[in-house]
Amino acid sequence: MEERYNPGAVEPKWQEYWNKNELFKVVEDPSKEKYYLLEMFPYPSGKIHIGHVRNYTIGDVVVRYKRMKGFNVIHPMGWDAFGMPAENAAIDNNTHPAAWTYENISAMRAQLKKMGFSYDWDREIATCRPEYYKWEQWLFLKMLEKGMVYRKESFVNWCEKCQTVLANEQVEQDKCWRCSQVVQQKKLWQWFFRITDYAEDLLVHCDQLPGWPDKVTTMQKNWIGKSIGSELKFQIEGSDQELEVFTTRPDTVFGATFMCLAPEHPLVETLSRGTDQEAGVDAFVKKVASQERSADGIEKYEKEGVFTGAHCINPATGKKIPIYTANFVLMGYGTGAIMSVPAGDQRDFDFARKYSLDIRVVVQPEGEELDSSTMTEAYTGAGVMVNSGQFNGMDSKEAMEVMTDWLEKEGRGKKAISYRLRDWGISRQRYWGTPIPVIHCPSCGVVPVPQEELPIRLPEEANLLAKGGSPLPSLDYFSKVTCPACGRKDAKRDTDTMDTFVESSWYYLRYCSPRYEGGMFDPAAVKYWAPVDQYIGGVEHAVLHLLYSRYFMRVLNTLGLIDFKEPFTRLLTQGMVCKETMTCPEHGFLFPEEAKKQGDDTLACTRCGSEVEVGRVIKMSKSKKNVVDPNELLEKYGADVTRLFCLFAAPPERDLEWSEDGVEGSNRFVNRVWRLAIECMDKIDTKSVESFNGAASDLKLQDAKELYIKANQTIKKVTDDIDKSFHFNTAISAVMELVNTMYTKDIDKADKEMKSVLLFCVENILLLLSPIIPHFSEELFEKMGNKGSILEHSWPTYRDDSLKTDEVLVVVQVNGKLRAKFTIGADVDEAGIKETALADEKIKKYLQEKELKKIIVIRKKQTLVNIVV
């Protein structure tokens, strides 16, 4: 038999077998308990990267394990195919997004199949296919009918480079999540999903997701951002309009001496029109539009503002106060207007000093008297109420509720709850996305596309415009339509497309019945398979995809389409794959193959010969070129060695540091097991020797008994590590220990009893490793004379009566330093342990004629004897 594992021959053989026998194809089976495992589907970039390999390997191990445990397992794969990435890449490569996407899907599908992942490819979907997005358009119309969608003109996050709008969740540190360009504010007509209608429900259920990491639910709670306070009304002087302000400190309302509006607030322009401040306000609003507009971003700028020329009336004092627009107020928080209390807020205090505005003390520490003219900073704590009318002398905390009740009674305020979460703007001014199924008619306004006309197909033959602008508005055959309501010929189709996160918010339900034509999904199939039992993906999606998916399930639940609200029962957020960067002074970042070792162990650039600087270990990224091509790994080592390294190098939730030595180590282990299994097959006659499967106590030889117990302990360890914690690294380590123990046994000298235990060990090692290195395990399992696929065999079970050894390890220290080890019967008492330790020849050497002061015995998993002399 072959002396080494040959992945080039073995892996294609078993991939063909799995495909031919449809081993990964599943259907609903009410007699079996279902298990739905899903990894976040990829954007078809053209190549899978090593992060994909790690992510999908983690999922594949669990899928194979659950199937061997008797579950009916669904494990689908598809493509998050719409969106800016494909469009931008197509522009860069002078091709069309459709051609680019479909070619990449074909290439990546082939790569995934080479990795041996157990996907049911009959369930494959691509979100850019009309048969998929038809149902997204259908849902949009249902939501529009129920008032869950609305359109308004508003300031939005605009990326000039990508030529499109971004949702708040897609702005990361004030930059576009895709291209890192600084985001600006722009006023556009946009479609919005009313996600805020579900803010409280989304928040409450964050505490009802025990299978989710705390860090993810905490991020979602913070993003939803619930605040309890009061909503106050400030009448605009000389107008019927009121400014509504949310505050968590209603006790300070008597101290509000001016009002600040976000530059994007719709009243800013209205209030300044026709006043001396009009030009100054317009210039200020234009200036702020080019600044970073987020909670972190506004801290980078000096706090400044402009008087709008208007005043409003403080609802508590009845006095008029000036209305400013200021760059530190965000439209995305509260109402976009804040009552400014300079004596109680440092930012307001600085602003008031800068623009010579009044400061009125309304809360001061007990026993102290604050003077607004001499204050050097705001007092932000609780205290005693002053300059607050009938509330003077009250404790400020007690005054909050009392003052809110008073303002409510006067019709000038009420208790309120505010959320940081904003409605989800889904309009994108890009081409490669799902067309929004509405028509704009000069007579009828917004008209839904008739359901029988769905899908509104994206014209895939359209040519892209320079800079990435959408060609759809200029395509008359697409944009010019007849109004379905009144028949006017000059109606126009909406030429925006939906945010790509809409597609990924429900794809996991489509997998349940991907070819179903009667709706978004077959209700019976979803009833059986959903929700997803285990979801795997990156933590970077905590407030994007994961939050949107939770929202979408609530929408479908409200519409009566499903009977659950949470899409994913358990969530694993895997760590990143990291590698050091390499930089050439002339060519910048280098790919690993562009840096070659020199004689003095330094690295040189292969392009110019300059010395290469090795940088920090950071997340692999194409821009930093610190990437590893999975194709090269497959060519050199095969899929199973690559899978093994990805699982062994770190627990799944931790970052994995890429190491060539680690891959080589995994390769050595695979071949070490291969040689061991082949040797056992060659030297054990399975016609006369059967695999032992009784109790350890039935074995006569101590050596055989210890090995059998070790094997049962390994089965238990691997089962627990996969089932309870997904700690595949420790599971693999346990198998390695068993293999090492087996290598200490001389098969040539082994009797029949020992050979029967060795057979048991080999069979179970292959079963335990089969989810991790499936091709390898299949090949050896077949060579042992088994029929069919190892995947069709049951997961090994351990015997409770064969987990404990009759002997324990004793570790002996002298004055805290390890000096000896020995084994002793598990039933030996403490006196016997002490006696044996003192009689040990190594210990005698350290004791000699020294005075024995103390001897301590600690009995745990292993026994520790500490001798003090």
Side-chain angles (χ1 to χ4, degrees):
M1 292 188 187
E2 302 88 343
E3 292 185 0
R4 294 182 62 82
Y5 174 56
N6 182 1
V10 172
E11 292 178 355
K13 167 188 169 180
W14 286 103
Q15 288 163 15
E16 183 181 353
Y17 178 90
W18 297 332
N19 183 55
K20 182 180 178 181
N21 290 276
E22 298 184 328
L23 283 189
F24 308 142
K25 185 175 181 178
V26 292
V27 295
E28 296 84 63
D29 183 351
S31 69
K32 283 187 175 183
E33 184 177 353
K34 68 91 179 180
Y35 189 82
Y36 188 172
L37 185 138
L38 185 64
E39 305 96 2
M40 293 181 184
F41 64 168
Y43 145 66
S45 61
K47 286 184 178 181
I48 61 169
H49 54 68
I50 204 67
H52 287 135
V53 172
R54 186 190 189 199
N55 188 10
Y56 303 150
T57 300
I58 291 167
D60 197 54
V61 172
V62 180
V63 165
R64 290 172 177 271
Y65 165 77
K66 287 289 186 181
R67 176 161 178 178
M68 293 174 76
K69 292 281 282 185
F71 287 83
N72 191 26
V73 185
I74 183 174
H75 188 208
M77 174 51 71
W79 312 98
D80 192 8
F82 265 149
M84 288 186 291
E87 195 168 330
N88 290 342
I91 292 168
D92 292 342
N93 290 274
N94 195 30
T95 186
H96 193 279
W100 172 265
T101 298
Y102 296 134
E103 287 172 11
N104 288 350
I105 286 174
S106 295
M108 292 177 72
R109 185 192 300 115
Q111 283 182 298
L112 293 176
K113 287 184 176 181
K114 281 185 178 181
M115 286 301 304
F117 298 135
S118 57
Y119 294 123
D120 181 354
W121 286 104
D122 287 350
R123 295 178 181 271
E124 180 183 13
I125 61 173
T127 59
C128 61
R129 297 283 189 188
E131 59 268 26
Y132 180 85
Y133 64 73
K134 168 185 178 177
W135 299 109
E136 194 169 303
Q137 293 173 335
W138 177 86
L139 181 63
F140 180 97
L141 296 178
K142 287 294 179 186
M143 293 171 69
L144 184 63
E145 179 185 314
K146 298 292 185 181
M148 295 175 163
V149 185
Y150 64 94
R151 187 171 183 258
K152 70 172 182 178
E153 188 179 27
S154 67
F155 281 94
V156 292
N157 303 308
W158 177 261
C159 176
E160 185 62 27
K161 183 175 180 180
C162 293
Q163 287 286 292
T164 194
V165 166
L166 303 173
N168 288 343
E169 293 85 350
Q170 294 166 322
V171 180
E172 298 175 350
Q173 296 181 330
D174 313 303
K175 296 177 181 177
C176 173
W177 72 297
R178 280 293 184 192
C179 73
S180 298
Q181 182 94 356
V182 173
V183 171
Q184 299 180 348
Q185 297 296 299
K186 190 172 184 177
K187 202 170 188 180
L188 293 173
W189 281 95
Q190 298 286 295
W191 286 100
F192 292 86
F193 285 162
R194 295 187 188 274
I195 190 172
T196 53
D197 285 354
Y198 296 92
E200 183 65 20
D201 196 54
L202 288 165
L203 182 64
V204 168
H205 280 81
C206 281
D207 292 325
Q208 299 174 33
L209 296 169
W212 284 44
D214 289 341
K215 62 182 176 182
V216 175
T217 53
T218 298
M219 289 168 74
Q220 290 207 1
K221 286 178 185 178
N222 291 340
W223 189 260
I224 295 167
K226 182 178 182 178
S227 297
I228 299 173
S230 304
E231 190 177 273
L232 308 181
K233 297 177 181 179
F234 287 70
Q235 187 78 37
I236 296 174
E237 186 185 32
S239 168
D240 292 335
Q241 288 184 295
E242 293 177 327
L243 274 172
E244 291 187 345
V245 173
F246 176 81
T247 179
T248 57
R249 291 292 305 271
D251 55 312
T252 64
V253 63
F254 279 86
T257 57
F258 58 98
M259 175 74 67
C260 284
L261 305 182
E264 303 87 356
H265 198 290
L267 280 177
V268 168
E269 182 180 348
T270 303
L271 295 175
S272 63
R273 283 293 166 263
T275 71
D276 295 340
Q277 298 297 115
E278 182 176 349
V281 168
D282 288 347
F284 180 76
V285 170
K286 185 176 180 180
K287 174 185 175 181
V288 174
S290 64
Q291 296 178 352
E292 298 179 26
R293 300 292 290 154
S294 71
D296 293 330
I298 59 176
E299 297 303 323
K300 301 175 183 178
Y301 303 97
E302 179 185 355
K303 307 300 179 286
E304 57 183 355
V306 175
F307 177 48
T308 63
H311 293 81
C312 61
I313 308 302
N314 183 313
T317 65
K319 295 180 179 179
K320 73 176 185 178
I321 59 176
I323 303 174
Y324 277 70
T325 179
N327 66 347
F328 58 82
V329 186
L330 295 172
M331 196 65 206
Y333 292 86
T335 63
I338 62 170
M339 65 175 201
S340 296
V341 183
D345 181 275
Q346 190 60 42
R347 189 170 51 188
D348 294 346
F349 182 90
D350 295 338
F351 194 87
R353 286 280 191 250
K354 182 173 184 175
Y355 294 104
S356 302
L357 298 168
D358 290 342
I359 298 177
R360 178 187 174 101
V361 176
V362 290
V363 177
Q364 59 188 13
E366 189 170 357
E368 293 185 39
E369 188 170 327
L370 299 178
D371 184 346
S372 62
S373 63
T374 60
M375 289 174 70
T376 57
E377 62 181 6
Y379 174 69
T380 59
V384 180
M385 303 291 296
V386 295
N387 299 319
S388 299
Q390 67 266 41
F391 306 103
N392 286 344
M394 286 188 69
D395 178 85
S396 60
K397 290 183 178 179
E398 294 176 3
M400 287 187 187
E401 187 167 353
V402 176
M403 291 178 70
T404 300
D405 290 341
W406 171 67
L407 288 166
E408 187 165 6
K409 189 176 181 180
E410 296 291 321
R412 289 173 282 179
K414 63 180 180 180
K415 294 175 184 177
I417 294 173
S418 179
Y419 297 93
R420 180 177 183 263
L421 182 68
R422 301 288 97 183
D423 281 338
W424 177 10
I426 63 150
S427 297
R428 298 293 178 266
Q429 293 64 46
R430 295 293 292 239
Y431 159 71
W432 191 238
T434 298
I436 295 176
V438 297
I439 291 166
H440 300 279
C441 173
S443 299
C444 307
V446 173
V447 180
V449 169
Q451 187 173 325
E452 59 270 17
E453 293 184 15
L454 298 181
I456 303 303
R457 291 176 177 266
L458 183 72
E460 293 191 1
E461 69 280 3
N463 293 317
L464 294 184
L465 303 180
K467 287 185 70 180
S470 173
L472 297 180
S474 62
L475 297 178
D476 288 350
Y477 69 87
F478 177 80
S479 62
K480 291 186 177 180
V481 291
T482 299
C483 174
C486 71
R488 284 189 61 154
K489 303 293 185 183
D490 57 348
K492 287 196 172 183
R493 193 181 303 284
D494 198 307
T495 55
D496 284 351
T497 54
M498 293 191 208
D499 180 5
T500 186
F501 280 100
V502 177
E503 281 89 64
S504 60
S505 292
W506 68 282
Y507 77 105
Y508 40 89
L509 296 187
R510 187 65 182 172
Y511 278 142
C512 297
S513 50
R515 310 295 170 246
Y516 186 66
E517 297 180 358
M520 294 178 72
F521 44 77
D522 180 349
V526 166
K527 183 78 173 175
Y528 178 78
W529 291 115
V532 174
D533 294 287
Q534 181 66 61
Y535 201 35
I536 303 173
V539 72
E540 66 271 17
H541 297 292
V543 294
L544 285 160
H545 164 60
L546 291 172
L547 183 63
Y548 292 154
S549 294
R550 295 184 63 217
Y551 159 66
F552 247 58
M553 292 307 96
R554 282 156 173 77
V555 169
L556 295 177
N557 181 272
T558 299
L559 295 174
L561 298 174
I562 58 175
D563 60 2
F564 57 93
K565 290 184 178 181
E566 294 297 342
F568 316 117
T569 303
R570 295 182 66 190
L571 172 69
L572 171 67
T573 53
Q574 86 283 355
M576 298 179 293
V577 181
C578 304
K579 195 178 189 304
E580 73 278 358
T581 57
M582 296 181 182
T583 312
C584 169
E586 182 175 343
H587 295 104
F589 289 113
L590 301 177
F591 289 109
E593 62 270 18
E594 294 177 319
K596 296 298 182 184
K597 274 190 178 181
Q598 302 182 103
D600 57 356
D601 284 339
T602 59
L603 296 171
C605 175
T606 57
R607 296 161 67 183
C608 67
S610 299
E611 185 172 337
V612 171
E613 179 184 351
V614 179
R616 293 185 301 110
V617 174
I618 61 172
K619 177 187 177 182
M620 284 187 181
S621 72
K622 291 178 183 177
S623 62
K624 301 292 191 298
K625 297 186 177 180
N626 61 333
V627 292
V628 175
D629 185 355
N631 283 337
E632 293 180 8
L633 293 169
L634 287 172
E635 186 70 28
K636 185 175 181 180
Y637 296 105
D640 280 355
V641 170
T642 304
R643 290 167 62 116
L644 181 66
F645 171 75
C646 287
L647 296 167
F648 182 60
E653 71 277 7
R654 300 283 296 276
D655 289 349
L656 182 155
E657 184 176 337
W658 187 260
S659 163
E660 287 294 334
D661 291 341
V663 182
E664 284 288 354
S666 295
N667 190 45
R668 286 194 299 272
F669 172 69
V670 164
N671 282 288
R672 185 170 165 81
V673 178
W674 181 273
R675 289 191 301 272
L676 178 65
I678 295 298
E679 185 182 10
C680 286
M681 284 184 250
D682 287 344
K683 295 181 178 180
I684 299 175
D685 182 6
T686 54
K687 293 179 181 178
S688 60
V689 179
E690 292 184 2
S691 173
F692 182 76
N693 200 25
S697 58
D698 295 336
L699 293 166
K700 297 173 184 177
L701 293 174
Q702 185 64 28
D703 217 19
K705 184 183 294 186
E706 289 177 358
L707 180 59
Y708 186 68
I709 288 171
K710 180 71 173 177
N712 275 274
Q713 290 172 341
T714 302
I715 294 170
K716 184 178 189 305
K717 172 68 174 169
V718 173
T719 303
D720 289 348
D721 283 348
I722 294 178
D723 207 37
K724 297 177 181 178
S725 61
F726 291 176
H727 280 185
F728 312 113
N729 58 323
T730 54
I732 294 166
S733 181
V735 177
M736 287 179 172
E737 288 182 19
L738 177 58
V739 170
N740 290 341
T741 302
M742 291 179 69
Y743 262 99
T744 66
K745 312 304 176 187
D746 189 338
I747 302 179
D748 292 322
K749 295 179 181 178
D751 64 3
K752 187 174 181 180
E753 183 177 79
M754 175 58 84
K755 287 180 178 178
S756 70
V757 172
L758 286 169
L759 273 180
F760 173 83
C761 291
V762 171
E763 288 174 358
N764 283 282
I765 284 173
L766 296 180
L767 288 166
L768 294 174
L769 289 177
S770 64
I772 297 166
I773 45 176
H775 312 84
F776 171 93
S777 302
E778 291 272 25
E779 184 70 10
L780 287 176
F781 207 65
E782 181 187 60
K783 287 182 182 298
M784 291 187 75
N786 296 288
K787 302 297 183 183
S789 169
I790 196 170
L791 185 60
E792 296 173 302
H793 285 256
S794 296
W795 184 254
T797 56
Y798 56 86
R799 293 184 63 111
D800 288 322
D801 59 10
S802 302
L803 290 175
K804 292 184 179 180
T805 180
D806 294 335
E807 292 187 334
V808 295
L809 176 68
V810 179
V811 176
V812 186
Q813 295 179 340
V814 178
N815 289 343
K817 292 185 178 180
L818 177 63
R819 297 305 186 190
K821 293 181 181 178
F822 58 83
T823 57
I824 196 169
D827 57 348
V828 177
D829 62 12
E830 189 171 313
I833 294 171
K834 289 180 180 179
E835 182 181 342
T836 306
L838 292 172
D840 189 281
E841 291 300 322
K842 293 179 182 177
I843 298 302
K844 285 181 179 180
K845 184 176 69 172
Y846 288 103
L847 297 182
Q848 294 179 352
E849 296 180 359
K850 295 177 183 177
E851 180 187 353
L852 181 62
K853 294 182 179 179
K854 190 185 298 184
I855 180 167
I856 303 167
V857 177
I858 301 172
R859 305 186 79 159
K860 290 188 176 178
K861 285 186 178 180
Q862 65 180 24
T863 299
L864 172 66
V865 178
N866 196 1
I867 300 171
V868 182
V869 294

